[in-house]
Amino acid sequence: MRNITHIPPEPLKPEKRIFWNPTIISLPYWSENQYLLVSRIVTAGNHQENVICEANVCYVGSAEDAKPGEKPCTEDDLKLLGPAGGMRCASAPLALNVPPTPAEKCHGRYENFVDVPGFHDPRIFWSGKGEPLMMQSRSRYACFGLWMIDLRTLHPPLQNLLASSPSHPSLGPLKSYPTLTELTRNPSEARSSIEKNWLLFFQSSGESYIHYDLSYSRNNSSRGRTFAKVLGNGFTTANLTDPLEMSCLFNLDASETDKAKKGGTWHQATNSLRLILCERTDKKCKATEANTVFFAVIHRKFPNYLELPLRYERHFMVWSAVPPFEMLGISQHPILMANETASGWTQSQVWDDDGNNSAIVAHTKRSRNATEPLGGKDYWAYFTYTVSMAYAWGRSGIEEVSDKNVGYLDDEVVLGIGIDDMGEGFARARAGDLDSQDLELYRVLYISRTYVISATGIGLETTILFAREGASVLLTDISTSALDTALEKVHSILPSLPLPDHPNQRIEIIPCDVSKESDIAAAVAYLDAWGGVDIMFNNAGIMHAADSDAIDTEEKIWDLTMGINVKGVWWGCKHAVLSMRKFKKTRGSVINTASVVALVGSATPQLAYTARFVPSVSPPFLPMMCGREGQGKPQLTIW
């Protein structure tokens, strides 16, 4: 983390105000300055003040250490920002004059908020159409709510900037929110008295959606994840979440507590960004629906004994970029910046006595708006709060404002971070590094062990991929020689198994004739010592040379094909589900290999082989049935 200062070069008067909760977006490539910064001001009364400025980042060290567009820090920069440099307003910050938004329905314990009109805690971000938007709070329909407005309405220089694109002359993107517009929840009775921390996400087509809730709330356990499409003028559709989607955070608050025996609560924290899962420098990389996701920061908030905030833990969540926008993963562990410590834990608990600590301390300095790690990371800050995310300024190539919301794994992301409710900083990291835990989960969702049928071809390659992710794998095949060869190949490609982070990882083999239920039952029972099945991959199958048309195919060929290709899949599903029930699994996957011939037939007669796949594309009754009993979503996926 590095510091931010609102004191511009050659200030006209001393700056005594304290700024906090910075929200940051990068400006277009043709801008004279790099970033737009909106911050709150610490005030003595109930009124709220926010300011805006254009800002730049300076660097310390050689030119090789500089990011695109950065200039070396001056002595004056270092005096205000500390020896690591940071972000500085290019001119004096200007007040953001926003009409007050009312809090019209604050009742009971929320009555005091009637005297504290909005706007509060603004967030700025780019829309999918290239609109610079700002979101703030208070409500006409409840006590807290969220309003949208185009930032160009409040800050005219931004309109002039967007209308001066050298590569795409225009008046800038049309304004979807030219005036203050309150966002709604549909149906209205689903609205709570306190609505905050909503986030928007934007498809490549420009359509926008509101993500209301991530997890089951304490007061409304039936709500769960909730998002809707924005129709216009703040109105939305009803909840669009897939009713079969498994909740990533169901009951997690109760099962994981801190040292004070407090279970944290989950809060959406930042805007979202769209991410393409390949690198910008890869010339073969093409954005598709299949390789694009959304991600955002969420916080897990822990209170102290007085129920005041003790710590905000920073996690990243990733969800699909195509309807129904399924949640794909949440980082398993909190993510900290190098010179940051989670309040409530010791330095060794957080960083395991990281040897780089002394070097980090040397590059950090106390300033008006940040705190110094006195003696080490464990004194860095009481708590930090991530306010915003934006792709960094200076990405390669000509980038229009409509591209500001989307990036690649090697693009850098700038995080705006509030410090101790009285200071501000920012951090910068590659998108792929920030989301590394989530993207691993995207490839293999929460794999701890699996059972893979077939030790050759697709089955073998799947085993290698799963093993690389830390999964324990049991390979099965009717041929013992094929099993020996497969195991030898796995260890030749991955000689370091078990992986250091997965010391209990196992890769083992067992002979199995999938046309015999007893063999499949025995293979699944073998995994009882591993804690049961998490993933079943029914991949074994044959396409017999004597499988012909309805006239020439012999009954024994039909029976053999059905025994392996149909009954084998059925028994695999059956015993996987029985294992999941036995070990009370609430999540799991059953993956069945199928073929295109189920839909379009074959160019050559293959009666039994083609008939085998027709049942595989029927409605997925198995996952629906098992999902109800497990409160999860065991997936019956057709490959």
Side-chain angles (χ1 to χ4, degrees):
M1 288 175 56
R2 290 196 281 171
N3 290 326
I4 296 173
T5 179
H6 283 73
I7 301 175
E10 301 179 3
L12 298 178
K13 60 180 180 179
E15 181 61 80
K16 298 181 180 180
R17 296 174 295 180
I18 297 176
F19 304 90
W20 61 305
N21 276 15
T23 176
I24 304 166
I25 58 173
S26 61
L27 291 169
Y29 71 89
W30 62 88
S31 171
E32 181 180 349
N33 299 303
Q34 297 173 310
Y35 295 98
L36 197 66
L37 170 65
V38 171
S39 300
R40 295 180 68 177
I41 300 174
V42 176
T43 57
N46 287 338
H47 68 288
Q48 303 288 314
E49 295 181 16
N50 295 266
V51 295
I52 186 171
C53 74
E54 293 185 10
N56 297 298
V57 175
C58 69
Y59 72 91
V60 175
S62 66
E64 296 178 354
D65 300 323
K67 304 297 182 182
E70 292 183 356
K71 297 179 180 179
C73 292
T74 65
E75 291 187 10
D76 190 46
D77 291 332
L78 299 178
K79 179 180 178 181
L80 296 168
L81 296 169
M87 183 178 294
R88 185 177 188 180
C89 286
S91 56
L94 303 174
L96 271 179
N97 295 314
V98 183
T101 52
E104 294 190 356
K105 295 183 179 180
C106 296
H107 306 298
R109 60 178 175 148
Y110 303 123
E111 285 183 355
N112 291 336
F113 289 113
V114 174
D115 298 325
V116 190
F119 63 108
H120 292 272
D121 241 359
R123 303 286 191 269
I124 61 173
F125 49 91
W126 291 102
S127 78
K129 299 177 181 178
E131 304 159 285
L133 301 179
M134 185 172 77
M135 178 185 290
Q136 64 268 324
S137 65
R138 289 303 183 262
S139 176
R140 295 172 297 174
Y141 308 111
C143 187
F144 277 51
L146 289 106
W147 299 70
M148 295 284 291
I149 191 169
D150 195 300
L151 199 52
R152 290 171 290 179
T153 300
L154 305 174
H155 189 63
L158 191 54
Q159 171 61 48
N160 298 333
L161 176 64
L162 297 192
S164 62
S165 169
S167 55
H168 191 249
S170 70
L171 296 177
L174 295 176
K175 293 182 179 181
S176 300
Y177 303 94
T179 59
L180 279 172
T181 303
E182 183 167 5
L183 303 175
T184 63
R185 188 196 282 266
N186 183 14
S188 58
E189 55 267 24
R191 177 183 284 270
S192 301
S193 297
I194 302 295
E195 296 280 15
K196 55 189 299 188
N197 298 334
W198 296 351
L199 64 86
L200 273 74
F201 58 97
F202 307 92
Q203 282 192 287
S204 57
S205 61
E207 294 179 325
S208 57
Y209 295 79
I210 301 176
H211 204 287
Y212 299 107
D213 303 300
L214 174 65
S215 161
Y216 289 84
S217 68
R218 291 181 174 179
N219 299 324
N220 187 353
S221 60
S222 64
R223 177 178 289 176
R225 185 187 180 211
T226 311
F227 70 87
K229 184 177 180 179
V230 179
L231 301 176
N233 201 31
F235 294 106
T236 66
T237 66
N239 182 22
L240 296 177
T241 306
D242 184 342
L244 295 178
E245 180 176 295
M246 177 177 56
S247 173
C248 288
L249 300 176
F250 180 72
N251 207 29
L252 190 61
D253 296 347
S255 61
E256 294 186 5
T257 59
D258 63 6
K259 293 187 296 183
K261 305 300 181 183
K262 298 287 186 179
T265 56
W266 294 91
H267 303 265
Q268 296 175 165
T270 69
N271 56 292
S272 69
L273 295 175
R274 193 150 41 96
L275 178 64
I276 300 168
L277 299 179
C278 51
E279 296 193 350
R280 184 181 293 270
T281 54
D282 182 358
K283 295 183 180 179
K284 297 181 181 179
C285 173
K286 302 294 182 183
T288 66
E289 291 185 346
N291 71 354
T292 304
V293 297
F294 294 108
F295 72 102
V297 174
I298 60 172
H299 283 145
R300 192 176 182 192
K301 175 183 173 183
F302 286 90
N304 60 18
Y305 290 101
L306 299 177
E307 298 298 326
L308 297 174
L310 169 67
R311 177 177 71 256
Y312 289 103
E313 292 183 348
R314 181 188 301 113
H315 294 253
F316 286 82
M317 66 174 182
V318 173
W319 66 102
S320 171
V322 296
F325 305 112
E326 182 180 11
M327 190 63 64
L328 298 174
I330 294 176
S331 51
Q332 184 177 359
H333 304 290
I335 296 177
L336 296 174
M337 301 303 129
N339 55 347
E340 180 185 15
T341 292
S343 179
W345 302 100
T346 66
Q347 176 183 343
S348 60
Q349 286 174 319
V350 173
W351 288 105
D352 195 24
D353 295 322
D354 183 0
N356 293 325
N357 187 49
S358 59
I360 293 167
V361 172
H363 284 279
T364 315
K365 177 184 177 182
R366 178 183 294 277
S367 73
R368 187 198 319 273
N369 295 327
T371 52
E372 180 183 7
L374 302 174
K377 295 194 190 79
D378 48 329
Y379 291 102
W380 163 244
Y382 182 63
F383 66 86
T384 58
Y385 186 95
T386 311
V387 185
S388 70
M389 291 196 311
Y391 285 112
W393 192 88
R395 296 190 290 183
S396 60
I398 296 177
E399 175 190 64
E400 296 300 328
V401 289
S402 57
D403 301 320
K404 284 292 187 180
N405 189 255
V406 61
Y408 295 78
L409 292 175
D410 52 347
D411 285 338
E412 287 201 323
V413 172
V414 172
L415 303 176
I417 301 173
I419 302 173
D420 290 354
D421 272 354
M422 65 175 82
E424 55 185 5
F426 76 100
R428 188 164 50 189
R430 291 175 75 254
D433 293 338
L434 287 174
D435 290 300
S436 59
Q437 296 183 53
D438 287 351
L439 299 179
E440 294 303 319
L441 294 177
Y442 176 49
R443 287 191 283 266
V444 184
L445 294 177
Y446 279 97
I447 293 177
S448 57
R449 59 196 65 82
T450 189
Y451 166 50
V452 180
I453 291 181
S454 179
T456 59
I458 296 174
L460 174 57
E461 296 304 319
T462 303
T463 298
I464 294 169
L465 290 174
F466 279 18
R468 281 177 174 155
E469 304 296 337
S472 291
V473 183
L474 179 65
L475 295 91
T476 67
D477 199 285
I478 196 171
S479 168
T480 54
S481 61
L483 286 170
D484 292 336
T485 301
L487 188 61
E488 182 179 349
K489 181 174 181 179
V490 171
H491 284 289
S492 67
I493 294 175
L494 302 171
S496 60
L497 294 177
L499 300 180
D501 293 339
H502 301 274
N504 297 321
Q505 183 183 25
R506 308 178 188 182
I507 309 295
E508 299 182 13
I509 58 178
I510 188 171
C512 178
D513 181 350
V514 300
S515 68
K516 298 178 181 178
E517 183 178 10
S518 59
D519 278 21
I520 291 183
V524 172
Y526 185 86
L527 295 184
D528 284 357
W530 300 14
V533 174
D534 289 303
I535 298 175
M536 170 70 84
F537 185 15
N538 293 313
N539 179 60
I542 64 169
M543 187 171 64
H544 202 284
D547 186 2
S548 183
D549 57 25
I551 305 300
D552 297 327
T553 300
E554 297 182 26
E555 182 179 2
K556 64 180 182 180
I557 302 301
W558 172 276
D559 290 342
L560 177 63
T561 303
M562 291 296 135
I564 296 172
N565 294 11
V566 177
K567 285 186 176 181
V569 173
W570 165 33
W571 285 325
C573 293
K574 171 183 174 180
H575 288 281
V577 169
L578 289 174
S579 175
M580 292 176 188
R581 286 176 176 172
K582 180 178 180 179
F583 288 90
K584 296 180 170 58
K585 306 280 187 178
T586 58
R587 65 179 66 197
S589 292
V590 177
I591 306 169
N592 298 329
T593 300
S595 170
V596 70
V597 299
L599 300 175
V600 299
S602 174
T604 58
Q606 295 170 330
L607 177 67
Y609 183 75
T610 303
R612 167 265 184 269
F613 292 110
V614 173
S616 295
V617 295
S618 61
F621 295 115
L622 175 66
M624 292 173 64
M625 175 187 69
C626 299
R628 286 198 302 269
E629 67 182 53
Q631 295 186 13
K633 186 186 174 184
Q635 298 170 353
L636 185 57
T637 306
I638 311 302
W639 280 24

